[in-house]
Amino acid sequence: MPRPLVIGNGRIMVAFDERLEMRDFFYPHVGQWNHLQGGRNRLGLWVEGKFVWTADDGWERRLGYKEDALVTEVEATHPGLKVKLLINDAVCRRENIYLKRVVVQNLADKEREIRVFFGQDFSVDETEVGDTVFYDALNRVLCHYKRNRYLLVNGYSSKGRFNQLATGIKRFGEAEGTWRDAEDGVLSGNAVAQGSVDSVIGFNLVVPPRGEETIYYWICVGRNIQEVRVLNRVVLEQGPKELFFQVETFGRAFLEACFDGCVHAWGVDIEDFPEEIITAYKRSLLILRAHFDAKGAVIASPDSDIMATNRDHYCYLWPRDGAFAVCAMIRAGCGRLTRAFFDFCANALTDEGFLLHKYNPDGTAGSSWHPWLVEGTVHLPIQEDETALVLWALWEYYRRERDLEFVLEHYHNLVRPAANFLGSYIDETLFLPAESYDLWEERLCISTFTTAAVYAGLMAAGNLARLFGQPGLAQRYFGQAARIKRGMLEHLYDEKEKRFLRALRFNRQKGAFEPDATVDSSLAGVFLFGVLPVQDLRVAETMRQVEKVLWVKTKVGGMARYYGDYYFRRVEDLAQVPGNPWLISTLWLAQYYIRAARSPEELVQGRRLLEWCVRQALPTGVMPEQVHPLTGEPLSVAPLSWSHAAFIIAVTEYIARCREFKAVREQRVFPRPGSGE
């Protein structure tokens, strides 16, 4: 099930499913640890002897966000019970406090007692073993804890603090969970439980006819009970209403800083941009920011339901995905937010100068399926593009921010060792990067995408070496990049097919490389990383064939990753559906059309692809990895930070081209003095 609502502050990240249940609660890192780990925090109502959870049938739900803020805005109406809920969720920017506001509206013409229940199903540090939950009678709060993780639960209405509670055993023996205790409208009052435990608190409200009552609920997270008690006092003293206002204000300030007054900052007219693109762009910035951990990791996705398919998840930093995410933030004008990412990568870099497959948000190595030994031959278990693209992103950061001192800090501990590795990890017979795993993490090969990324990484290193007064080293990096480009044009371009190959793959029985001519959307890397301009006929023909082969020929449309893609495949007719439509693949095609446009009219093709991506997003603006080719429903994970990053990058390029065309038009209408026009 997708996560249509995500919120966070760089230390806490919270995600909800479409039935309004909290499904993921991460702390102290975005993506690590998930203290729900397959459980769910519930919201339920007892009305005149009838009980419903928000996940039950019978509700009419509308999910969304407050405009320009990372604050949820949800309506849930139950016609049968004549009750409507207005819900907001947020995470404080500075303090580790999750906030919830629930306005309970009585739609009946008589006064009624409505009892509201909040269930907590925490498994602290991702296991229920050894958990404790107790009622802190001194402070009148509930507290879940284990070792150095404490989660304090509290709330109040106009009648005061919560007036019911229960703690107990969950999913052990015959105990389903304490949340079942709420379904008769009365909680047991049990004040402590140990082991595999959960808890519930309840509010007894008396709501006038056609009237409403408001409940504020919060969770404070810290390392010990003293810390969470201090945070609880912050809420009580400042008031949750004020804290909500602060979160909303911060969101608007963030967008103003990086969007700078919407598209007017780029000197183009607002009517040039469809409203849905503007809205999706701003929402993508906020959602992508929520994926940034304060210590530098940018996780791929918080959607833990993916574990049902592989017993693993997307809560990792892939350096490649992270590089695209920071590039998006840099181009959007908030590059300073990305500095921790480069700190993270510098710390993670191996002594040999390469980055591993993926990382946990705390900086430790993530899980991997890349072997060190392939058919008796030792290979590094890496995707070389991940190392290269970090350098590409760092040069992008300098170009936009001119933050000389920060970049200098990482010149010797990141740029030089990584560039030295890229320049040495070469197949000397082909003048191409040595074999590594491709960007899709599926095959050991010399891929066109990785080759283009390595070229870009070495060019970035050369530019930085020249910047810091090492012209000899700069020329070495530039020379290595030029040699790789020549090898790429000689060995990875198919003169017969007039397009680039996906890869060269080594046949160990024959002892030679063989071409892999599979049409792959990642061939866009040739122009994305500046190996060749979009005007080059080899690029144009490659992208023409990519679109022809990979466009999904159903009413959904969109671009497949590559021909025959098996990941979450739903249709076997490859002629019609070469693979599920992916947002990043479609956005690379959009970037091609945007860069190749020679007039404002030709930009329409790129804009239509941006609009396609907006249509594939959930109503909340959350963008998935891929969608079903027949129904358009999200597949794999949602949100995917890379999808949002690719959308942001494509929109900024679209805006830049509009500005270029406007400048040319104005120059013709108002010629410069002495131009002779």
Side-chain angles (χ1 to χ4, degrees):
M1 186 180 292
R3 302 293 188 259
L5 296 169
V6 294
I7 53 177
N9 67 354
R11 296 170 302 280
I12 293 175
M13 188 181 200
V14 182
F16 298 86
D17 65 23
E18 60 192 20
R19 291 181 173 268
L20 311 185
E21 292 188 319
M22 183 190 294
R23 299 295 307 281
D24 306 285
F25 191 104
F26 297 99
Y27 171 84
H29 296 284
V30 171
Q32 189 185 18
W33 301 83
N34 190 350
H35 302 289
L36 284 174
Q37 191 64 8
R40 54 195 71 205
N41 282 3
R42 295 171 165 86
L43 174 61
L45 272 71
W46 179 95
V47 184
E48 298 179 323
K50 297 179 181 179
F51 190 93
V52 292
W53 297 104
T54 59
D56 295 340
D57 295 334
W59 289 94
E60 298 169 359
R61 309 176 188 89
R62 186 188 66 80
L63 281 64
Y65 287 95
K66 281 186 169 289
E67 185 177 1
D68 295 349
L70 204 60
V71 177
T72 72
E73 189 168 58
V74 173
E75 292 183 6
T77 304
H78 199 292
L81 294 180
K82 294 186 178 181
V83 172
K84 184 176 184 178
L85 303 178
L86 306 178
I87 303 172
N88 303 111
D89 305 272
V91 177
C92 295
R93 285 309 310 171
R94 293 181 58 190
E95 296 86 3
N96 291 326
I97 303 170
Y98 159 76
L99 302 166
K100 191 178 198 76
R101 175 169 50 213
V102 180
V103 179
V104 182
Q105 296 184 338
N106 177 13
L107 304 182
D109 293 323
K110 62 178 180 178
E111 180 181 88
R112 295 192 295 171
E113 181 183 7
I114 300 176
R115 303 175 189 174
V116 182
F117 296 90
F118 297 83
Q120 293 76 227
D121 190 9
F122 293 118
S123 294
V124 181
D125 281 0
E126 302 186 354
T127 174
E128 71 278 10
V129 177
D131 281 359
T132 299
V133 58
F134 72 97
Y135 177 61
D136 177 357
L138 296 176
N139 293 275
R140 294 187 293 156
V141 299
L142 267 181
C143 192
H144 287 249
Y145 77 92
K146 181 164 58 193
R147 294 189 295 270
N148 63 337
R149 300 277 191 268
Y150 282 73
L151 298 103
L152 180 151
V153 178
N154 199 3
Y156 64 68
S157 70
S158 63
K159 306 300 183 183
R161 302 280 188 95
F162 58 89
N163 48 8
Q164 292 197 63
L165 68 94
T167 70
I169 304 301
K170 67 180 182 188
R171 296 188 292 276
F172 184 76
E174 297 182 0
E176 190 174 359
T178 309
W179 56 277
R180 286 295 191 190
D181 186 26
E183 293 181 344
D184 63 358
V186 180
L187 297 176
S188 68
N190 185 49
V192 66
Q194 173 269 334
S196 179
V197 299
D198 67 337
S199 66
V200 186
I201 62 172
F203 297 81
N204 295 357
L205 307 177
V206 177
V207 188
R210 299 289 175 176
E212 64 183 35
E213 280 283 349
T214 299
I215 297 171
Y216 286 101
Y217 165 93
W218 58 91
I219 301 171
C220 304
V221 195
R223 296 165 294 178
N224 52 54
I225 195 165
Q226 295 86 355
E227 190 172 313
V228 293
R229 283 173 173 171
V230 168
L231 293 174
N232 183 56
R233 286 198 295 272
V234 168
V235 182
L236 293 173
E237 291 170 3
Q238 293 193 30
K241 185 177 181 180
E242 174 65 21
L243 295 175
F244 266 109
F245 178 74
Q246 291 174 11
V247 176
E248 292 180 39
T249 302
F250 180 87
R252 288 191 290 270
F254 165 69
L255 288 178
E256 183 179 355
C258 62
F259 205 66
D260 197 11
C262 205
V263 296
H264 293 301
W266 285 282
V268 286
D269 297 327
I270 189 72
E271 57 264 23
D272 291 339
F273 296 86
E275 182 180 351
E276 60 268 24
I277 291 181
I278 296 294
T279 300
Y281 179 77
K282 292 194 285 186
R283 181 54 53 195
S284 285
L285 282 167
L286 289 165
I287 291 173
L288 183 59
R289 183 187 173 98
H291 287 72
F292 276 63
D293 181 71
K295 298 297 185 181
V298 187
I299 67 165
S301 177
D303 185 351
S304 61
D305 279 359
I306 192 69
M307 290 199 299
T309 67
N310 193 35
R311 298 308 297 163
D312 209 342
H313 48 71
Y314 278 42
C315 295
Y316 297 106
L317 165 71
W318 277 263
R320 169 189 49 257
D321 301 38
F324 278 107
V326 302
C327 180
M329 286 297 184
I330 291 164
R331 294 191 183 183
C334 43
R336 298 297 171 112
L337 175 66
T338 70
R339 289 184 291 188
F341 168 79
F342 298 109
D343 296 339
F344 185 106
C345 292
N347 290 329
L349 199 71
T350 63
D351 292 341
E352 295 87 351
F354 59 82
L355 290 166
L356 297 174
H357 180 182
K358 51 191 169 82
Y359 294 88
N360 295 305
D362 65 1
T364 56
S367 63
S368 180
W369 51 88
H370 297 334
W372 290 76
L373 191 68
V374 179
E375 297 181 10
T377 303
V378 175
H379 280 278
L380 292 179
I382 64 169
Q383 301 162 68
E384 193 179 357
D385 66 296
E386 298 202 283
T387 302
L389 290 179
V390 172
L391 302 189
W392 166 75
L394 185 60
W395 175 243
E396 188 80 6
Y397 173 82
Y398 175 74
R399 287 179 60 236
R400 303 286 175 139
E401 298 292 329
R402 299 298 176 181
D403 189 357
L404 190 66
E405 294 299 325
F406 174 78
V407 176
L408 179 59
E409 288 178 20
H410 290 310
Y411 178 62
H412 291 287
N413 67 357
L414 176 60
V415 175
R416 286 191 58 179
N420 291 340
F421 170 76
L422 297 176
S424 63
Y425 198 61
I426 297 292
D427 186 299
E428 295 295 345
T429 62
L430 300 172
F431 302 114
L432 291 172
E435 290 178 288
S436 70
Y437 290 89
D438 69 350
L439 80 160
W440 308 131
E441 309 175 286
E442 295 174 351
R443 54 195 64 83
L444 185 65
C445 61
I446 301 174
S447 74
T448 293
F449 182 91
T450 296
T451 302
V454 171
Y455 169 85
L458 286 169
M459 290 296 292
N463 285 321
L464 290 168
R466 185 166 57 190
L467 178 69
F468 294 123
Q470 294 190 303
L473 189 58
Q475 286 306 116
R476 190 178 99 193
Y477 293 147
F478 288 143
Q480 290 168 337
R483 187 172 69 159
I484 286 173
K485 179 177 179 177
R486 289 194 299 271
M488 181 178 180
L489 297 178
E490 180 179 352
H491 300 293
L492 285 168
Y493 182 74
D494 188 328
E495 289 284 357
K496 181 179 179 181
E497 297 294 332
K498 301 299 180 184
R499 66 171 172 83
F500 284 91
L501 301 168
R502 172 164 73 176
L504 298 175
R505 302 185 68 178
F506 192 69
N507 186 322
R508 282 165 176 77
Q509 292 181 338
K510 297 180 179 179
F513 282 97
E514 296 178 340
D516 178 351
T518 305
V519 177
D520 193 308
S521 64
S522 68
L523 294 176
V526 177
F527 75 83
L528 288 174
F529 304 127
V531 181
L532 294 174
V534 290
Q535 294 80 12
D536 191 286
L537 294 178
R538 290 164 291 190
V539 171
E541 181 59 21
T542 295
M543 294 307 296
R544 186 192 71 80
Q545 294 188 43
V546 165
E547 181 177 13
K548 178 181 178 182
V549 173
L550 297 184
W551 189 260
V552 174
K553 302 165 187 66
T554 68
K555 65 179 181 180
V556 173
M559 286 275 289
R561 249 195 332 173
Y562 59 82
Y563 185 82
D565 188 0
Y566 67 89
Y567 190 50
F568 283 88
R569 182 188 292 174
R570 293 294 186 265
V571 177
E572 295 300 324
D573 182 1
L574 298 183
Q576 295 298 309
V577 182
N580 296 333
W582 278 55
L583 272 70
I584 56 174
S585 301
T586 307
L587 287 163
W588 285 340
L589 181 63
Q591 284 182 264
Y592 169 72
Y593 279 124
I594 291 166
R595 294 189 188 187
R598 294 166 294 180
S599 68
E601 292 71 27
E602 290 185 3
L603 277 173
V604 171
Q605 290 174 292
R607 191 181 71 193
R608 286 174 178 165
L609 294 173
L610 295 177
E611 293 167 344
W612 179 90
C613 289
V614 173
R615 292 195 299 273
Q616 308 320 308
L618 301 178
T620 60
V622 161
M623 292 186 175
E625 177 183 70
Q626 51 182 302
V627 298
H628 194 293
L630 302 180
T631 67
E633 65 181 301
L635 295 175
S636 185
V637 296
L640 182 75
S641 60
W642 194 357
S643 294
H644 286 283
F647 183 77
I648 292 166
I649 291 170
V651 171
T652 58
E653 292 194 7
Y654 180 77
I655 290 170
R657 293 310 311 280
C658 287
R659 180 177 56 185
E660 290 175 17
F661 289 131
K662 181 181 180 182
V664 170
R665 183 172 65 249
E666 290 179 345
Q667 186 179 19
R668 289 173 179 169
V669 175
F670 305 105
R672 292 172 297 173
S675 65
E677 297 184 28

